Structure formats: structure tokens, C-alpha cells
Amino acid sequence: MPNPDSTTPVLDLKDGSLVAAHGNWQVHALTQPGVIKALQAKLKNLARQNDALRWDLSEIGTLDHIGAQFLWNAWGKTRPKQLTVAPQHRDFFQRLASAGTLALPPKPPRRRLFNAIYDMGVDVFEHVTGFITLLGQLVLDFLRMVQAPQRAPWKEISANVYHVGYQALGITALVGFLIGVVLSFLSAQQLHTFGGDIYLVNILGMSIIRELGPLLAAILVAGRSGSAITAQLGVMRVTEELDAMLVMGLPHGFRLILPRVLALLVAMPLLVIWTDAIALLGGMVAAQLQLGLSPTYFLQQLPNAVPLPNYLIGLGKGAVFGGLIAMVACYFGLRIEPNTESLGHGTTTSVVSAITIVIVADAIFAIIFSGVGF
């Protein structure tokens, strides 16, 4: 420890029971090398007779919150019975005494497995009832549109068909073509091993038209258009446009939900046809390169390899998937709270839920129509 001067914090024991403090008890003085260690050693020796000690802080030159807190901690966070403080320093210790003992909040109790399952069940029930309510309101709005078609939101429907349908042609074509190429290459390698090259048309036709085409288009639309719908409704909630619509007497279901659902019901089957055609084109190109199957042979064998019911099942899947994606996106969009965190969480949940529901619906289709189209 350096030689003490008039500014160094010092504790002196006088008459065996009087502790006098000198110097400047500020942070820059306390952080000098060796000062804290020397004070702590001094306080450790005084701790045995703490109750009988008298403290005199009147000779302290300057004091700040750090110095006052250091002394307060040395006293066990209680004011000594006999304490002399300069008038200008009393406020520091009065604030520390009024603050009391700081305690961390208790740890929340660990959730038991039963409670977690119960909470999950309550959330699922809430979402199911909310989704059914939205479906019922959608049916009522559709009946209202049928009764008064001149008041239907045709402009909103056409605009949404353009956004979710026409603007999605590029991405669906690119992904569909690549999927067709990959599927054709992989299938051709296995079929060529067993001499079954001619059955490549059957594999591509059935897998793309009945399963991959509708499912691929639905997943792309769920990620692209579903997230956009949820984000649009969420931003309208944040900017209070939804509240303004209710004030003006414009129902959300008729002006916001119904146009988007009808648009996807119309656009999705068309996107399925487009995706099927481009994916088959990619498979046709790969078959020509890998196995030497001419496009003419491919197109001639395709109608015999894929019966018409499979094509109709694919179109039906597209319409159902489109309606489900739109309803899920609108449901989570209307549940968004007016803050940015809820907007991001709601959009993510919407996309994940829409893709999950589409896959579940595809499995249901596969079970129901397992004996159709073969």
C-alpha cells in the first residue's frame, strides 16, 4: 500500500472503541492500489467488537455513493448505534437505510409434466375453437356475398388472385422444374438397373400429378403468400387500421378474410396445373438425357400412365390446401397484438402451422382416396 496522504481513505481505532474515518471516501480514492485490501483487513479486525464500537465519520473530507455503500456493507447493512456523521453526508446513509435489504425475486416453481400438458391442451383447444369460429364467420360472409353479389369485394378478390397466383408463377416454375429433374434422375438410375426404363413415365406422372405438384405448390404458397397475408393483417393491427375499419362499419371477415380465401381457392388449382406441367417438363428433359426417352414417347404414354381421377384429386388438393393456407394466415394475422415482437412471432407461427396443416391434409387425402386412380 502506498504511503497514505490526506486524501487516502483511512480507518483509525482510538481509545479501543472509537473508529475514526479520514480522507476522501470516493471511488477514485478507493480504487487506488492496496487501499481496498488495507481497509478490508482493518474492518476484519474490528468485526469482533462491532457492537461496542463508536463510529466517527465527521472528519471525512468527501464522500460519494460508492464510499457510503462500502461502509454500509461493513456495518452489516445496518446503521451503528453510535454514529457521528457530517451534516452534508447524512443523506447517503439515510437513502441506504430506507432502501432496505435488496433481495432477488424467488425462482418460479418448476412446472410439472401434468401442468405443461394441461397448458398445451388449453392452447390447442383455444386455437381449434378460434379456427372454427373463423370458419363459421367465413361461411356467413360467403352467403352474404351470394345474396348480394353486386356488393361483393370483387376488386379485393382479383387483386389477391394476382398477388398470390400470378406473382408466384416464377418461384413455382423454378422449384417444380428442379424437382422434376432430380426425381427423374434418381428414378432413372434405379429403373435402368432392372431394365424398367419405360416405367419412368408412370413414376413421374403419378408422383408429380397426384402428390408432389399440389404439395410443392402449397408449401411454396404457404411460405410466400401465407406469411404475406399474416404480416399484412399484423401491420394493420399495429397501425390500428383494423380498429378504424370497425369504427367505419367495415367487417373484417367480409373485406379482409373472404377475398383472400376465395383468391387462394381460385389460384391454387391453377398453380397446381402450372407446377405439374413444369415439373413434368423437367422430368422429360432429364429422361431424354439419362435414358434417351424422347419427349414424344413421354407425352404419348403419360395419359395411359396417369388416369384422370389422379388429376382431379390433385386439383381438389390444390383448392383445399389454398383455403387452409388462407384461413390459417388470416387467423394468426388477426391474433397479432399491436407490437413488433408479436408481429414477427405471429408470422413465423402462421407459416409453420400452415405447412403442418397442409401435410396433415395431404395424409388425410392419401388415406381417403387410397383406392382411387389406380
Side-chain angles (χ1 to χ4, degrees):
M1 178 177 177
N3 294 328
D5 53 27
S6 59
T7 62
T8 303
V10 178
L11 291 175
D12 293 331
L13 181 61
K14 300 179 180 179
D15 300 333
S17 62
L18 177 62
V19 181
H22 308 276
N24 295 335
W25 288 71
Q26 292 180 314
V27 61
H28 62 82
L30 291 171
T31 53
Q32 293 179 3
V35 172
I36 292 292
K37 291 184 178 180
L39 292 175
Q40 289 177 342
K42 187 72 174 180
L43 292 170
K44 186 177 181 180
N45 296 330
L46 298 174
R48 300 175 181 177
Q49 47 181 340
N50 191 25
D51 295 337
L53 292 177
R54 294 178 292 118
W55 291 82
D56 183 8
L57 308 182
S58 60
E59 298 182 10
I60 290 180
T62 55
L63 181 70
D64 62 5
H65 290 282
I66 302 300
Q69 185 68 53
F70 181 82
L71 291 170
W72 187 260
N73 293 339
W75 297 335
K77 298 182 179 181
T78 58
R79 187 184 181 95
K81 297 180 180 179
Q82 301 183 48
L83 175 64
T84 303
V85 185
Q88 66 271 22
H89 300 156
R90 291 175 182 171
D91 291 340
F92 292 108
F93 300 103
Q94 289 178 355
R95 281 194 290 268
L96 290 172
S98 61
T101 304
L102 297 179
L104 295 176
K107 294 183 179 180
R110 296 182 61 183
R111 298 177 62 187
R112 296 183 178 179
L113 179 61
F114 176 78
N115 294 336
I117 296 176
Y118 175 79
D119 294 341
M120 186 183 300
V122 171
D123 292 340
V124 171
F125 179 77
E126 180 183 356
H127 287 303
V128 171
T129 54
F131 195 80
I132 293 175
T133 303
L134 180 66
L135 178 61
Q137 184 61 49
L138 179 66
V139 173
L140 295 177
D141 293 333
F142 180 75
L143 294 177
R144 174 188 173 187
M145 187 188 73
V146 172
Q147 293 175 355
Q150 69 278 5
R151 301 186 63 182
W154 298 113
K155 291 183 178 180
E156 290 86 347
I157 295 174
S158 61
N160 281 282
V161 169
Y162 173 79
H163 290 303
V164 304
Y166 176 77
Q167 292 186 342
L169 292 177
I171 185 64
T172 52
L174 175 62
V175 177
F177 184 84
L178 296 177
I179 290 295
V181 170
V182 172
L183 183 62
S184 180
F185 266 115
L186 295 177
S187 302
Q189 291 177 357
Q190 299 298 321
L191 292 174
H192 186 68
T193 304
F194 300 98
D197 298 350
I198 60 175
Y199 295 107
L200 179 62
V201 180
N202 300 63
I203 294 178
L204 290 179
M206 288 293 292
S207 59
I208 291 176
I209 292 177
R210 183 171 176 133
E211 288 294 336
L212 288 181
L215 189 61
L216 182 63
I219 292 176
L220 292 175
V221 169
R224 179 187 177 277
S225 302
S227 61
I229 292 173
T230 304
Q232 289 172 359
L233 297 179
V235 171
M236 294 179 70
R237 174 73 70 187
V238 173
T239 57
E240 299 182 351
E241 294 180 53
L242 296 179
D243 299 332
M245 289 183 63
L246 293 179
V247 171
M248 292 186 294
L250 299 176
H252 297 161
F254 193 74
R255 289 294 175 181
L256 297 178
I257 301 177
L258 182 63
R260 288 167 170 79
V261 174
L262 292 181
L264 274 172
L265 284 174
V266 173
M268 271 300 298
L270 301 178
L271 283 176
V272 169
I273 297 175
W274 170 256
T275 306
D276 290 346
I278 300 300
L280 289 174
L281 177 63
M284 189 187 309
V285 172
Q288 171 71 24
L289 298 176
Q290 185 80 0
L291 299 178
L293 295 179
S294 65
T296 303
Y297 174 79
F298 196 98
L299 294 176
Q300 288 177 348
Q301 294 297 319
L302 187 61
N304 297 327
V306 184
L308 182 61
N310 296 283
Y311 192 72
L312 298 178
I313 291 174
L315 295 181
K317 283 184 178 182
V320 173
F321 293 167
L324 290 175
I325 292 170
M327 291 186 61
V328 170
C330 292
Y331 171 75
F332 284 101
L334 294 177
R335 287 175 57 90
I336 290 177
E337 299 177 357
N339 59 75
T340 54
E341 182 180 359
S342 178
L343 177 61
H345 177 72
T347 304
T348 304
T349 307
S350 171
V351 174
V352 174
S353 301
I355 294 176
T356 303
I357 290 178
V358 163
I359 295 175
V360 172
D362 184 69
I364 295 175
F365 266 98
I367 296 173
I368 295 176
F369 296 100
S370 59
V372 180
F374 297 100

Tab-separated table of all heavy atoms in Angstrom, residues 242-286:
chain	number	residue	atom	x	y	z
A	242	LEU	N	-57.284	-1.907	-38.404
A	242	LEU	CA	-58.396	-2.818	-38.120
A	242	LEU	C	-59.426	-2.159	-37.217
A	242	LEU	O	-60.643	-2.317	-37.431
A	242	LEU	CB	-57.852	-4.090	-37.464
A	242	LEU	CG	-56.916	-4.952	-38.330
A	242	LEU	CD1	-56.438	-6.163	-37.539
A	242	LEU	CD2	-57.624	-5.399	-39.598
A	243	ASP	N	-58.981	-1.429	-36.214
A	243	ASP	CA	-59.923	-0.711	-35.346
A	243	ASP	C	-60.673	0.364	-36.129
A	243	ASP	O	-61.866	0.586	-35.907
A	243	ASP	CB	-59.168	-0.086	-34.166
A	243	ASP	CG	-58.482	-1.130	-33.301
A	243	ASP	OD1	-58.987	-2.274	-33.260
A	243	ASP	OD2	-57.450	-0.811	-32.685
A	244	ALA	N	-59.972	1.030	-37.038
A	244	ALA	CA	-60.625	2.060	-37.841
A	244	ALA	C	-61.704	1.461	-38.742
A	244	ALA	O	-62.767	2.075	-38.941
A	244	ALA	CB	-59.589	2.801	-38.681
A	245	MET	N	-61.455	0.250	-39.266
A	245	MET	CA	-62.467	-0.402	-40.094
A	245	MET	C	-63.723	-0.704	-39.295
A	245	MET	O	-64.852	-0.523	-39.791
A	245	MET	CB	-61.891	-1.688	-40.684
A	245	MET	CG	-60.837	-1.470	-41.751
A	245	MET	SD	-60.247	-3.021	-42.464
A	245	MET	CE	-61.763	-3.646	-43.213
A	246	LEU	N	-63.556	-1.174	-38.064
A	246	LEU	CA	-64.732	-1.452	-37.233
A	246	LEU	C	-65.494	-0.177	-36.913
A	246	LEU	O	-66.730	-0.170	-36.873
A	246	LEU	CB	-64.285	-2.144	-35.941
A	246	LEU	CG	-63.706	-3.558	-36.101
A	246	LEU	CD1	-63.287	-4.106	-34.743
A	246	LEU	CD2	-64.712	-4.486	-36.759
A	247	VAL	N	-64.775	0.919	-36.691
A	247	VAL	CA	-65.443	2.187	-36.405
A	247	VAL	C	-66.271	2.642	-37.607
A	247	VAL	O	-67.377	3.174	-37.462
A	247	VAL	CB	-64.406	3.256	-36.009
A	247	VAL	CG1	-65.053	4.633	-35.924
A	247	VAL	CG2	-63.753	2.901	-34.682
A	248	MET	N	-65.743	2.400	-38.817
A	248	MET	CA	-66.472	2.796	-40.032
A	248	MET	C	-67.527	1.785	-40.447
A	248	MET	O	-68.189	1.964	-41.468
A	248	MET	CB	-65.470	2.992	-41.174
A	248	MET	CG	-64.543	4.180	-40.982
A	248	MET	SD	-63.478	4.492	-42.416
A	248	MET	CE	-62.465	3.017	-42.403
A	249	GLY	N	-67.677	0.699	-39.695
A	249	GLY	CA	-68.687	-0.296	-40.004
A	249	GLY	C	-68.284	-1.279	-41.083
A	249	GLY	O	-69.156	-1.892	-41.719
A	250	LEU	N	-66.979	-1.451	-41.314
A	250	LEU	CA	-66.496	-2.401	-42.316
A	250	LEU	C	-66.047	-3.670	-41.609
A	250	LEU	O	-65.034	-3.662	-40.898
A	250	LEU	CB	-65.330	-1.796	-43.103
A	250	LEU	CG	-65.635	-0.518	-43.885
A	250	LEU	CD1	-64.369	0.022	-44.532
A	250	LEU	CD2	-66.707	-0.772	-44.932
A	251	PRO	N	-66.755	-4.774	-41.755
A	251	PRO	CA	-66.375	-6.008	-41.048
A	251	PRO	C	-65.083	-6.591	-41.601
A	251	PRO	O	-64.825	-6.552	-42.811
A	251	PRO	CB	-67.566	-6.946	-41.288
A	251	PRO	CG	-68.192	-6.443	-42.552
A	251	PRO	CD	-67.976	-4.949	-42.570
A	252	HIS	N	-64.282	-7.129	-40.719
A	252	HIS	CA	-63.015	-7.722	-41.138
A	252	HIS	C	-63.226	-8.931	-42.024
A	252	HIS	O	-62.497	-9.136	-43.004
A	252	HIS	CB	-62.202	-8.127	-39.904
A	252	HIS	CG	-61.810	-6.969	-39.039
A	252	HIS	ND1	-61.424	-7.111	-37.717
A	252	HIS	CD2	-61.760	-5.640	-39.295
A	252	HIS	CE1	-61.145	-5.927	-37.213
A	252	HIS	NE2	-61.348	-5.022	-38.135
A	253	GLY	N	-64.206	-9.770	-41.673
A	253	GLY	CA	-64.402	-11.006	-42.414
A	253	GLY	C	-64.763	-10.772	-43.869
A	253	GLY	O	-64.228	-11.422	-44.767
A	254	PHE	N	-65.654	-9.835	-44.118
A	254	PHE	CA	-66.162	-9.618	-45.481
A	254	PHE	C	-65.150	-8.895	-46.351
A	254	PHE	O	-65.083	-9.133	-47.562
A	254	PHE	CB	-67.465	-8.822	-45.423
A	254	PHE	CG	-68.223	-8.802	-46.717
A	254	PHE	CD1	-68.914	-9.926	-47.149
A	254	PHE	CD2	-68.237	-7.667	-47.510
A	254	PHE	CE1	-69.613	-9.911	-48.357
A	254	PHE	CE2	-68.923	-7.640	-48.710
A	254	PHE	CZ	-69.612	-8.768	-49.130
A	255	ARG	N	-64.346	-8.009	-45.767
A	255	ARG	CA	-63.423	-7.188	-46.548
A	255	ARG	C	-61.986	-7.701	-46.548
A	255	ARG	O	-61.219	-7.365	-47.448
A	255	ARG	CB	-63.447	-5.747	-46.021
A	255	ARG	CG	-64.725	-4.990	-46.340
A	255	ARG	CD	-64.849	-4.783	-47.840
A	255	ARG	NE	-66.130	-4.168	-48.176
A	255	ARG	CZ	-66.506	-3.902	-49.428
A	255	ARG	NH1	-65.691	-4.203	-50.427
A	255	ARG	NH2	-67.680	-3.368	-49.671
A	256	LEU	N	-61.607	-8.474	-45.567
A	256	LEU	CA	-60.218	-8.904	-45.463
A	256	LEU	C	-60.044	-10.406	-45.619
A	256	LEU	O	-59.163	-10.865	-46.356
A	256	LEU	CB	-59.635	-8.458	-44.111
A	256	LEU	CG	-59.561	-6.947	-43.858
A	256	LEU	CD1	-59.019	-6.673	-42.465
A	256	LEU	CD2	-58.703	-6.266	-44.906
A	257	ILE	N	-60.879	-11.192	-44.917
A	257	ILE	CA	-60.684	-12.647	-44.915
A	257	ILE	C	-61.292	-13.298	-46.150
A	257	ILE	O	-60.633	-14.092	-46.833
A	257	ILE	CB	-61.284	-13.250	-43.630
A	257	ILE	CG1	-60.610	-12.648	-42.399
A	257	ILE	CG2	-61.127	-14.766	-43.639
A	257	ILE	CD1	-61.187	-13.116	-41.089
A	258	LEU	N	-62.537	-12.981	-46.455
A	258	LEU	CA	-63.223	-13.612	-47.587
A	258	LEU	C	-62.480	-13.413	-48.916
A	258	LEU	O	-62.318	-14.391	-49.676
A	258	LEU	CB	-64.649	-13.078	-47.687
A	258	LEU	CG	-65.512	-13.674	-48.802
A	258	LEU	CD1	-65.712	-15.167	-48.580
A	258	LEU	CD2	-66.866	-12.960	-48.879
A	259	PRO	N	-62.011	-12.210	-49.261
A	259	PRO	CA	-61.289	-12.071	-50.540
A	259	PRO	C	-60.027	-12.913	-50.616
A	259	PRO	O	-59.721	-13.482	-51.682
A	259	PRO	CB	-60.954	-10.565	-50.590
A	259	PRO	CG	-61.948	-9.920	-49.693
A	259	PRO	CD	-62.208	-10.905	-48.600
A	260	ARG	N	-59.297	-13.029	-49.523
A	260	ARG	CA	-58.058	-13.803	-49.545
A	260	ARG	C	-58.329	-15.300	-49.645
A	260	ARG	O	-57.614	-16.025	-50.350
A	260	ARG	CB	-57.234	-13.482	-48.290
A	260	ARG	CG	-56.606	-12.090	-48.327
A	260	ARG	CD	-56.075	-11.666	-46.972
A	260	ARG	NE	-55.269	-10.458	-47.055
A	260	ARG	CZ	-55.757	-9.228	-47.140
A	260	ARG	NH1	-57.074	-9.044	-47.129
A	260	ARG	NH2	-54.951	-8.184	-47.224
A	261	VAL	N	-59.363	-15.772	-48.960
A	261	VAL	CA	-59.697	-17.199	-49.034
A	261	VAL	C	-60.180	-17.560	-50.432
A	261	VAL	O	-59.742	-18.566	-51.020
A	261	VAL	CB	-60.749	-17.558	-47.969
A	261	VAL	CG1	-61.200	-19.002	-48.133
A	261	VAL	CG2	-60.185	-17.342	-46.566
A	262	LEU	N	-61.080	-16.756	-50.995
A	262	LEU	CA	-61.572	-17.043	-52.344
A	262	LEU	C	-60.458	-16.942	-53.378
A	262	LEU	O	-60.418	-17.726	-54.334
A	262	LEU	CB	-62.713	-16.073	-52.689
A	262	LEU	CG	-64.004	-16.248	-51.899
A	262	LEU	CD1	-65.045	-15.229	-52.357
A	262	LEU	CD2	-64.552	-17.657	-52.056
A	263	ALA	N	-59.548	-15.983	-53.183
A	263	ALA	CA	-58.437	-15.845	-54.129
A	263	ALA	C	-57.552	-17.080	-54.132
A	263	ALA	O	-57.160	-17.575	-55.204
A	263	ALA	CB	-57.618	-14.603	-53.774
A	264	LEU	N	-57.253	-17.614	-52.964
A	264	LEU	CA	-56.424	-18.816	-52.911
A	264	LEU	C	-57.192	-20.048	-53.389
A	264	LEU	O	-56.596	-20.966	-53.960
A	264	LEU	CB	-55.902	-19.028	-51.495
A	264	LEU	CG	-54.609	-18.269	-51.181
A	264	LEU	CD1	-54.262	-18.357	-49.709
A	264	LEU	CD2	-53.464	-18.823	-52.011
A	265	LEU	N	-58.500	-20.088	-53.155
A	265	LEU	CA	-59.298	-21.195	-53.678
A	265	LEU	C	-59.270	-21.222	-55.201
A	265	LEU	O	-59.313	-22.298	-55.822
A	265	LEU	CB	-60.743	-21.083	-53.183
A	265	LEU	CG	-61.010	-21.474	-51.732
A	265	LEU	CD1	-62.451	-21.160	-51.354
A	265	LEU	CD2	-60.717	-22.952	-51.507
A	266	VAL	N	-59.204	-20.051	-55.823
A	266	VAL	CA	-59.153	-19.978	-57.285
A	266	VAL	C	-57.727	-20.171	-57.802
A	266	VAL	O	-57.505	-20.867	-58.798
A	266	VAL	CB	-59.728	-18.623	-57.760
A	266	VAL	CG1	-59.524	-18.446	-59.263
A	266	VAL	CG2	-61.201	-18.524	-57.413
A	267	ALA	N	-56.768	-19.544	-57.134
A	267	ALA	CA	-55.397	-19.517	-57.663
A	267	ALA	C	-54.658	-20.837	-57.451
A	267	ALA	O	-53.837	-21.229	-58.291
A	267	ALA	CB	-54.618	-18.373	-57.015
A	268	MET	N	-54.915	-21.518	-56.342
A	268	MET	CA	-54.140	-22.718	-56.042
A	268	MET	C	-54.324	-23.836	-57.067
A	268	MET	O	-53.332	-24.460	-57.490
A	268	MET	CB	-54.471	-23.218	-54.640
A	268	MET	CG	-53.615	-22.610	-53.541
A	268	MET	SD	-51.858	-22.946	-53.744
A	268	MET	CE	-51.839	-24.729	-53.625
A	269	PRO	N	-55.548	-24.191	-57.516
A	269	PRO	CA	-55.646	-25.215	-58.567
A	269	PRO	C	-54.908	-24.820	-59.839
A	269	PRO	O	-54.303	-25.676	-60.500
A	269	PRO	CB	-57.161	-25.330	-58.797
A	269	PRO	CG	-57.767	-24.887	-57.510
A	269	PRO	CD	-56.878	-23.813	-56.997
A	270	LEU	N	-54.927	-23.525	-60.179
A	270	LEU	CA	-54.196	-23.080	-61.362
A	270	LEU	C	-52.690	-23.210	-61.152
A	270	LEU	O	-51.954	-23.597	-62.074
A	270	LEU	CB	-54.568	-21.626	-61.684
A	270	LEU	CG	-56.056	-21.375	-61.956
A	270	LEU	CD1	-56.310	-19.888	-62.208
A	270	LEU	CD2	-56.530	-22.200	-63.153
A	271	LEU	N	-52.227	-22.890	-59.953
A	271	LEU	CA	-50.809	-23.069	-59.656
A	271	LEU	C	-50.414	-24.544	-59.667
A	271	LEU	O	-49.288	-24.896	-60.047
A	271	LEU	CB	-50.471	-22.453	-58.296
A	271	LEU	CG	-50.355	-20.934	-58.252
A	271	LEU	CD1	-50.103	-20.467	-56.826
A	271	LEU	CD2	-49.226	-20.451	-59.162
A	272	VAL	N	-51.328	-25.408	-59.261
A	272	VAL	CA	-51.046	-26.852	-59.293
A	272	VAL	C	-50.881	-27.319	-60.736
A	272	VAL	O	-49.953	-28.087	-61.061
A	272	VAL	CB	-52.169	-27.630	-58.576
A	272	VAL	CG1	-52.041	-29.123	-58.841
A	272	VAL	CG2	-52.129	-27.365	-57.077
A	273	ILE	N	-51.744	-26.860	-61.625
A	273	ILE	CA	-51.611	-27.219	-63.045
A	273	ILE	C	-50.283	-26.726	-63.592
A	273	ILE	O	-49.561	-27.456	-64.295
A	273	ILE	CB	-52.790	-26.626	-63.850
A	273	ILE	CG1	-54.122	-27.238	-63.378
A	273	ILE	CG2	-52.595	-26.855	-65.343
A	273	ILE	CD1	-55.343	-26.612	-64.028
A	274	TRP	N	-49.939	-25.495	-63.274
A	274	TRP	CA	-48.675	-24.904	-63.736
A	274	TRP	C	-47.464	-25.671	-63.181
A	274	TRP	O	-46.536	-25.991	-63.917
A	274	TRP	CB	-48.656	-23.445	-63.323
A	274	TRP	CG	-47.351	-22.733	-63.502
A	274	TRP	CD1	-46.455	-22.401	-62.532
A	274	TRP	CD2	-46.803	-22.249	-64.731
A	274	TRP	NE1	-45.379	-21.742	-63.055
A	274	TRP	CE2	-45.563	-21.625	-64.418
A	274	TRP	CE3	-47.215	-22.280	-66.057
A	274	TRP	CZ2	-44.755	-21.055	-65.381
A	274	TRP	CZ3	-46.408	-21.692	-67.027
A	274	TRP	CH2	-45.188	-21.096	-66.685
A	275	THR	N	-47.499	-25.971	-61.890
A	275	THR	CA	-46.378	-26.689	-61.276
A	275	THR	C	-46.262	-28.093	-61.832
A	275	THR	O	-45.140	-28.581	-62.087
A	275	THR	CB	-46.563	-26.738	-59.747
A	275	THR	OG1	-46.751	-25.411	-59.239
A	275	THR	CG2	-45.350	-27.356	-59.072
A	276	ASP	N	-47.384	-28.780	-62.028
A	276	ASP	CA	-47.342	-30.116	-62.628
A	276	ASP	C	-46.699	-30.081	-64.010
A	276	ASP	O	-45.844	-30.920	-64.336
A	276	ASP	CB	-48.757	-30.688	-62.738
A	276	ASP	CG	-49.346	-31.048	-61.382
A	276	ASP	OD1	-48.576	-31.097	-60.404
A	276	ASP	OD2	-50.569	-31.258	-61.301
A	277	ALA	N	-47.118	-29.105	-64.811
A	277	ALA	CA	-46.610	-29.041	-66.182
A	277	ALA	C	-45.107	-28.777	-66.208
A	277	ALA	O	-44.357	-29.437	-66.947
A	277	ALA	CB	-47.353	-27.948	-66.959
A	278	ILE	N	-44.644	-27.837	-65.388
A	278	ILE	CA	-43.220	-27.511	-65.391
A	278	ILE	C	-42.398	-28.656	-64.795
A	278	ILE	O	-41.294	-28.968	-65.275
A	278	ILE	CB	-42.974	-26.207	-64.613
A	278	ILE	CG1	-43.736	-25.054	-65.261
A	278	ILE	CG2	-41.496	-25.879	-64.558
A	278	ILE	CD1	-43.341	-24.782	-66.701
A	279	ALA	N	-42.899	-29.294	-63.744
A	279	ALA	CA	-42.176	-30.430	-63.155
A	279	ALA	C	-42.086	-31.589	-64.145
A	279	ALA	O	-41.030	-32.245	-64.247
A	279	ALA	CB	-42.869	-30.871	-61.876
A	280	LEU	N	-43.175	-31.856	-64.870
A	280	LEU	CA	-43.120	-32.917	-65.887
A	280	LEU	C	-42.170	-32.541	-67.016
A	280	LEU	O	-41.507	-33.417	-67.591
A	280	LEU	CB	-44.525	-33.179	-66.431
A	280	LEU	CG	-45.496	-33.876	-65.466
A	280	LEU	CD1	-46.889	-33.938	-66.064
A	280	LEU	CD2	-45.004	-35.278	-65.129
A	281	LEU	N	-42.110	-31.257	-67.339
A	281	LEU	CA	-41.161	-30.813	-68.360
A	281	LEU	C	-39.719	-31.073	-67.911
A	281	LEU	O	-38.881	-31.544	-68.681
A	281	LEU	CB	-41.369	-29.325	-68.645
A	281	LEU	CG	-40.399	-28.688	-69.654
A	281	LEU	CD1	-40.561	-29.349	-71.027
A	281	LEU	CD2	-40.644	-27.177	-69.752
A	282	GLY	N	-39.434	-30.754	-66.633
A	282	GLY	CA	-38.102	-31.054	-66.108
A	282	GLY	C	-37.810	-32.536	-66.106
A	282	GLY	O	-36.689	-32.965	-66.450
A	283	GLY	N	-38.784	-33.357	-65.712
A	283	GLY	CA	-38.601	-34.803	-65.759
A	283	GLY	C	-38.413	-35.315	-67.171
A	283	GLY	O	-37.627	-36.252	-67.419
A	284	MET	N	-39.115	-34.696	-68.125
A	284	MET	CA	-38.983	-35.091	-69.519
A	284	MET	C	-37.576	-34.800	-70.047
A	284	MET	O	-36.975	-35.615	-70.758
A	284	MET	CB	-40.032	-34.339	-70.359
A	284	MET	CG	-40.159	-34.814	-71.788
A	284	MET	SD	-41.260	-33.730	-72.742
A	284	MET	CE	-42.690	-33.670	-71.648
A	285	VAL	N	-37.037	-33.633	-69.683
A	285	VAL	CA	-35.686	-33.278	-70.109
A	285	VAL	C	-34.664	-34.246	-69.509
A	285	VAL	O	-33.750	-34.724	-70.200
A	285	VAL	CB	-35.368	-31.824	-69.706
A	285	VAL	CG1	-33.895	-31.498	-69.960
A	285	VAL	CG2	-36.258	-30.855	-70.468
A	286	ALA	N	-34.810	-34.543	-68.221
A	286	ALA	CA	-33.875	-35.465	-67.573
A	286	ALA	C	-33.994	-36.868	-68.158
A	286	ALA	O	-32.986	-37.586	-68.298
A	286	ALA	CB	-34.138	-35.489	-66.072
